[in-house]
Amino acid sequence: MVQHLHSLENLYLPRVSQYRFCQIMIENLPKLREEIKEISMSDLKDFLESIRKHSDRIGETAMKQAQQQKTFSTTLQKQNNLNYGRNMHLGRSRILESKNEITLKRTFEDDDEHEEEVLTAQDLVDFSPVYRCLHIYSVLGDGEIFENYYRKQRRKQARLVLQPQSSMHETVEGYRRYFSQIVGFFVVEDHILHVTQGLVTRTYTDELWNMALSKIIAVLRTHSSYCSDPDLVLELKNLIVVFADTLQGYGFPVNRLFDLLFEIRDQYNETLLKKWSGLFRDIFEADNYSPIPIANEEEYKIVISKFPFQDPELDKQSFPKKLPMSQSVPQIYIQVKEFIYASLKFSESLHRSSTEIDDMLRKSTNLLLTRTLSSCLQNLIKKPHIGLTELVQIIINTTHLEQACKYLEDFISNITNISQVSVHTARLYGLSTFKRKLKQKYQSLSTILLKRP
């Protein structure tokens, strides 16, 4: 219609302008143009409101697709026997354009066969108002006005999307909705970028993303610092990885998000250390500080399956017999291994090599041993119920825990597939510190023993 109006005004009416009715038409054309623009603008405002309401649904769909694509890529990687730790980056989602519709291709594996499911953005939002409004304003020579209006309104919506709820840090759903809204916003802008010419530009979307990224990082720093639950921090990490992979698939740089994950990893480790401090404390409280009695071979195998104990002289003795350490030693050893597994969970999907993961695990484990376990032992010997017999047993226990550290090194090497020969000496510094602290503790305990009657 607008095109016909344009032709009428510029081509046909000038030829018959001498007629009165044509003069009336010419006089009414500006009003008609404004009415058309108002109607199209009203439709655009409805579109913007619809986008605001459906942003989280669009983002949720895109994030699910990115997750499925990553799962599929991981499966292919394992099938092709690729090296562990190789960086995997989500390639840009394949864009299929048909009748002004953007489609996102989702590929997944089912019963060893490859299938495809194609979803359209129009399943959630009708983009025709923005196409129509852009066309009308362009034909009427006001394309720049429309572009400025659209970008201004979307910037306002971006600021709203980036504003989190105050209680977002309390549940994983709060974070998920926050990420979904942001992804939905940028999926729409990426769609507009590729199906229109000039309404938005790559420079515009990059500037918008850089602004958003700074805000997102500030928000996540603040809210993650409130979280004391390691499971929730771990879920947040997984959401950030999917969020980053999704937007990376649309061409947005996400390196700063992965840098942020290393900051959050420190927070995660702090929550783990706090949790394990409680576990260690409970183990020490429940210990009877007496050598572990072993009635038969079966009981002996059960204990050594949990703790790497070797003593040829004790092996020669007949049953029943006693192991030198008390029951807290194998329990502490098991919990240290559980801590390593928990720490490893955060390192997964961070696009880091096996060597870097190995380094992270050793550093976090050293913190557990030198700070948390050491602190628990120091608090233990201050307990009023710890007598002379218990102090001697604690000395024996710490000696066996010290000797078991080499097995923990082997354990980390096995799960990261990194040879200890290739590990830099500095990565064992924490372990050396732990041994020195144990010796200091031994001397301290010996002094206490000598002073006691």
Side-chain angles (χ1 to χ4, degrees):
M1 179 179 177
V2 178
Q3 192 67 47
H4 293 159
L5 184 65
H6 182 75
S7 299
L8 181 65
E9 182 179 17
N10 294 282
L11 183 60
Y12 298 112
L13 285 180
R15 298 176 183 178
V16 290
S17 60
Q18 68 273 21
Y19 297 104
R20 177 60 183 164
F21 77 92
C22 292
Q23 287 293 331
I24 295 174
M25 291 180 64
I26 291 174
E27 291 173 1
N28 287 329
L29 282 177
K31 180 180 179 182
L32 183 59
R33 281 199 302 269
E34 290 304 314
E35 289 178 353
I36 293 173
K37 287 168 62 177
E38 288 177 6
I39 293 172
S40 65
M41 182 58 70
S42 177
D43 289 343
L44 177 70
K45 290 178 180 178
D46 291 341
F47 163 81
L48 291 173
E49 179 64 18
S50 176
I51 284 293
R52 186 187 67 80
K53 290 181 179 179
H54 293 87
S55 182
D56 58 333
R57 293 175 61 193
I58 296 172
E60 184 180 359
T61 300
M63 289 174 70
K64 284 181 179 179
Q65 291 171 342
Q67 224 170 353
Q68 289 162 347
Q69 177 64 30
K70 187 171 184 177
T71 300
F72 175 68
S73 299
T74 302
T75 301
L76 285 182
Q77 184 186 43
K78 290 180 179 178
Q79 289 174 345
N80 292 320
N81 196 27
L82 296 180
N83 291 330
Y84 175 83
R86 177 178 174 183
N87 289 341
M88 292 186 299
H89 299 286
L90 178 66
R92 178 172 180 78
S93 299
R94 181 182 174 188
I95 304 299
L96 306 175
E97 297 181 13
S98 176
K99 296 181 180 180
N100 289 330
E101 293 184 357
I102 184 173
T103 59
L104 304 174
K105 183 179 179 183
R106 180 175 72 180
T107 305
F108 58 93
E109 188 173 28
D110 182 23
D111 296 330
D112 298 325
E113 293 182 358
H114 293 243
E115 299 180 359
E116 294 179 1
E117 180 178 326
V118 178
L119 303 176
T120 65
Q122 275 83 349
D123 290 337
L124 299 175
V125 178
D126 178 15
F127 284 92
S128 61
V130 71
Y131 307 145
R132 185 164 52 249
C133 200
L134 174 61
H135 175 70
I136 290 172
Y137 272 73
S138 298
V139 170
L140 297 179
D142 292 330
E144 187 175 349
I145 294 176
F146 172 73
E147 291 170 9
N148 291 335
Y149 176 82
Y150 176 85
R151 295 183 187 184
K152 181 180 179 180
Q153 295 303 313
R154 287 297 277 164
R155 284 192 181 97
K156 288 182 179 179
Q157 289 188 340
R159 286 192 286 270
L160 291 175
V161 165
L162 293 167
Q163 186 64 37
Q165 294 184 346
S166 58
S167 59
M168 183 179 74
H169 62 277
E170 296 176 358
T171 65
V172 68
E173 289 305 319
Y175 286 112
R176 182 176 286 113
R177 179 172 174 78
Y178 180 67
F179 289 135
S180 295
Q181 288 179 335
I182 296 172
V183 170
F185 178 91
F186 283 99
V187 166
V188 169
E189 290 308 282
D190 183 79
H191 169 62
I192 296 297
L193 173 66
H194 286 87
V195 299
T196 64
Q197 294 183 348
L199 179 55
V200 300
T201 63
R202 175 55 69 183
T203 300
Y204 159 81
T205 56
D206 286 347
E207 290 176 354
L208 204 57
W209 170 243
N210 287 331
M211 178 275 293
L213 191 56
S214 296
K215 177 66 175 177
I216 293 165
I217 289 173
V219 166
L220 292 178
R221 276 199 183 112
T222 299
H223 282 262
S224 64
S225 66
Y226 296 146
C227 185
S228 59
D229 181 1
D231 293 333
L232 180 55
V233 179
L234 186 61
E235 288 184 288
L236 170 59
K237 166 256 175 180
N238 292 332
L239 280 175
I240 293 175
V241 169
V242 176
F243 173 72
D245 284 345
T246 303
L247 287 169
Q248 187 179 54
Y250 286 90
F252 296 101
V254 295
N255 289 340
R256 289 174 63 190
L257 284 173
F258 282 100
D259 292 339
L260 173 67
L261 281 173
F262 280 93
E263 296 179 29
I264 296 178
R265 185 183 186 279
D266 293 337
Q267 168 70 13
Y268 175 70
N269 278 334
E270 286 301 318
T271 61
L272 287 183
L273 291 171
K274 184 176 180 180
K275 177 180 179 179
W276 258 259
S277 177
L279 293 173
F280 289 158
R281 185 171 58 250
D282 292 342
I283 289 173
F284 288 141
E285 287 293 333
D287 197 357
N288 59 12
Y289 297 99
S290 299
I292 301 175
I294 302 296
N296 51 52
E297 183 71 25
E298 183 178 353
E299 289 185 5
Y300 181 71
K301 289 181 179 180
I302 291 175
V303 174
I304 64 173
S305 68
K306 299 177 181 178
F307 182 76
F309 174 76
Q310 294 179 351
D311 187 340
E313 293 300 321
L314 186 63
D315 289 342
K316 297 176 182 178
Q317 297 178 16
S318 59
F319 294 100
K321 53 188 175 183
K322 294 182 178 180
L323 299 183
M325 79 286 291
S326 65
Q327 62 185 9
S328 65
V329 173
Q331 292 174 353
I332 291 293
Y333 183 80
I334 290 172
Q335 284 303 322
V336 173
K337 292 172 69 175
E338 289 298 320
F339 174 90
I340 294 170
Y341 278 128
S343 183
L344 177 64
K345 288 180 180 179
F346 197 97
S347 301
E348 295 172 347
S349 304
L350 291 188
H351 300 168
R352 289 298 184 269
S353 68
S354 298
T355 302
E356 290 174 300
I357 293 174
D358 184 276
D359 183 42
M360 285 186 264
L361 286 181
R362 291 174 186 274
K363 287 180 178 178
S364 59
T365 305
N366 281 331
L367 274 178
L368 178 73
L369 298 174
T370 60
R371 194 174 82 184
T372 306
L373 181 57
S374 177
S375 176
C376 288
L377 286 169
Q378 289 174 3
N379 291 332
L380 175 63
I381 63 176
K382 297 176 183 178
K383 297 289 184 180
H385 68 276
I386 298 297
L388 183 61
T389 303
E390 289 81 8
L391 285 172
V392 172
Q393 187 62 60
I394 290 172
I395 294 173
I396 296 172
N397 288 352
T398 53
T399 301
H400 284 285
L401 286 172
E402 176 186 1
Q403 294 171 350
C405 285
K406 63 180 180 180
Y407 295 99
L408 292 173
E409 289 184 325
D410 293 338
F411 178 72
I412 294 175
S413 296
N414 288 334
I415 62 177
T416 60
N417 199 28
I418 293 294
S419 170
Q420 290 193 44
V421 176
S422 64
V423 178
H424 195 275
T425 306
R427 291 177 184 145
L428 299 178
Y429 176 78
L431 182 57
S432 299
T433 302
F434 176 55
K435 290 178 179 178
R436 287 198 297 271
K437 286 192 175 183
L438 283 175
K439 291 178 180 178
Q440 293 171 1
K441 189 176 298 298
Y442 183 90
Q443 294 172 354
S444 174
L445 290 174
S446 298
T447 301
I448 294 174
L449 285 172
L450 290 174
K451 289 182 179 181
R452 292 198 175 190

